[in-house]
Amino acid sequence: MRKLYFTLCLSAVALLFSCGNEKQPEAPTPAEKPEQEERVDTLAMLVMQVQKCSRLYTTEYRVHKIVTHDDQLALKGKLFSKDYNINLPLGKRKVAIPIDATMKAYIDFADFSAANVRRTPTHIELILPDPHIVLTSSRINHDDVKEYVALMRRDFSDEELASYELQGREAIIKDIAKSNIIEQARIGATNALVPMLRQLGFDEPNIIISFRKNFTPQEVEQLVDASTLEKKNGGANRR
């Protein structure tokens, strides 16, 4: 029997980045170039400046989770056509593993293009690339791991503890997917991009920063970089 109990401590941190702080060349006046050509030049300048943001980390979540597991040694079988399941005395063992993890959301602007921009003479909307979520760190506080092993049972092996730790990380990802990490990622990107768009002459009330869609919790799980989960699965070495 396995149980996962969750103690979640979230602190969303908006990380502000400065994207392209260098002085921008002055846009040509209508007297110098036709209005349509001026718009094209401004759009190209906008795309170039946004691409300079590269990988923009916007949100950080810190999670504390306690993973528990318990099992009972039992005799199971059939006698006189009746099933039996008898728990053996001194056959129980339990473990509680505290895990602290940090997850970050970022937006990669490497492929940002004019297709991500919708604009009118007065308004502009930037459709952000899909965000990515990475498990940047996770650790077990070995001093706080609690084990109970009855006399008839063997101790938990390193492989078993590593398996429970991996289950904890997977549970953290599922719980993060139900949080507002995607909305926080959009807000963080807005705080970084709006000042740049104001420098290009757009009024803040006329600026819209959005994602291409609203993500469900199941879709958010797919945005997590799975390789980070594998890299962190280095085993639960015992002390």
Side-chain angles (χ1 to χ4, degrees):
M1 178 180 179
R2 299 180 179 177
K3 299 178 182 178
L4 295 179
Y5 293 101
F6 179 64
T7 304
L8 181 61
C9 301
L10 298 180
S11 59
V13 182
L15 307 178
L16 304 183
F17 274 63
S18 176
C19 304
N21 291 324
E22 56 268 21
K23 185 177 180 181
Q24 307 299 331
E26 295 183 357
T29 64
E32 296 172 342
K33 290 188 177 183
E35 181 180 355
Q36 180 63 29
E37 188 173 351
E38 178 187 354
R39 291 185 183 181
V40 173
D41 288 346
T42 304
L43 180 59
M45 182 186 305
L46 168 63
V47 171
M48 179 183 67
Q49 292 303 315
V50 173
Q51 287 176 343
K52 286 183 180 180
C53 294
S54 185
R55 181 176 291 191
L56 179 63
Y57 285 88
T58 59
T59 306
E60 177 181 292
Y61 273 68
R62 296 178 182 176
V63 182
H64 178 73
K65 187 172 187 65
I66 299 178
V67 180
T68 65
H69 171 82
D70 64 85
D71 56 52
Q72 172 72 50
L73 196 61
L75 287 177
K76 298 180 181 180
K78 181 174 289 189
L79 183 64
F80 301 120
S81 301
K82 293 185 178 181
D83 294 328
Y84 64 86
N85 187 345
I86 304 173
N87 292 334
L88 296 178
L90 303 179
K92 193 174 184 64
R93 64 177 187 167
K94 303 178 181 180
V95 65
I97 305 172
I99 300 177
D100 292 304
T102 300
M103 302 190 73
K104 293 183 180 181
Y106 72 88
I107 299 171
D108 191 346
F109 288 99
D111 297 326
F112 187 87
S113 68
N116 297 89
V117 181
R118 298 173 183 168
R119 60 170 296 178
T120 68
T122 58
H123 289 70
I124 187 166
E125 179 182 4
L126 267 60
I127 299 97
L128 302 176
D130 290 352
H132 299 267
I133 303 172
V134 291
L135 181 66
T136 58
S137 68
S138 67
R139 63 180 293 273
I140 292 177
N141 188 341
H142 291 274
D143 293 334
D144 291 337
V145 172
K146 306 296 183 183
E147 292 185 45
Y148 167 77
V149 180
L151 292 177
M152 294 181 60
R153 303 299 303 276
R154 61 176 175 81
D155 290 338
F156 289 97
S157 67
D158 289 345
E159 290 75 16
E160 287 176 314
L161 293 177
S163 174
Y164 304 149
E165 181 187 357
L166 180 59
Q167 291 176 28
R169 294 195 184 100
E170 291 172 341
I172 286 172
I173 289 176
K174 289 184 179 295
D175 288 322
I176 283 292
K178 300 173 186 176
S179 72
N180 65 341
I181 190 171
I182 297 301
E183 177 62 16
Q184 290 298 323
R186 187 194 66 79
I187 293 174
T190 299
N191 292 334
L193 295 174
V194 165
M196 180 186 66
L197 295 172
R198 291 180 61 187
Q199 290 180 1
L200 292 175
F202 292 95
D203 294 331
E204 187 167 339
N206 299 334
I207 298 173
I208 301 173
I209 307 293
S210 63
F211 286 118
R212 66 180 180 86
K213 61 175 296 182
N214 293 322
F215 298 96
T216 65
Q218 292 74 22
E219 290 171 330
V220 173
E221 284 187 45
Q222 301 303 314
L223 298 175
V224 178
D225 186 350
S227 65
T228 61
L229 188 63
E230 297 169 0
K231 291 176 183 177
K232 299 298 177 184
N233 184 25
N237 297 324
R238 307 180 72 175
R239 290 184 176 181

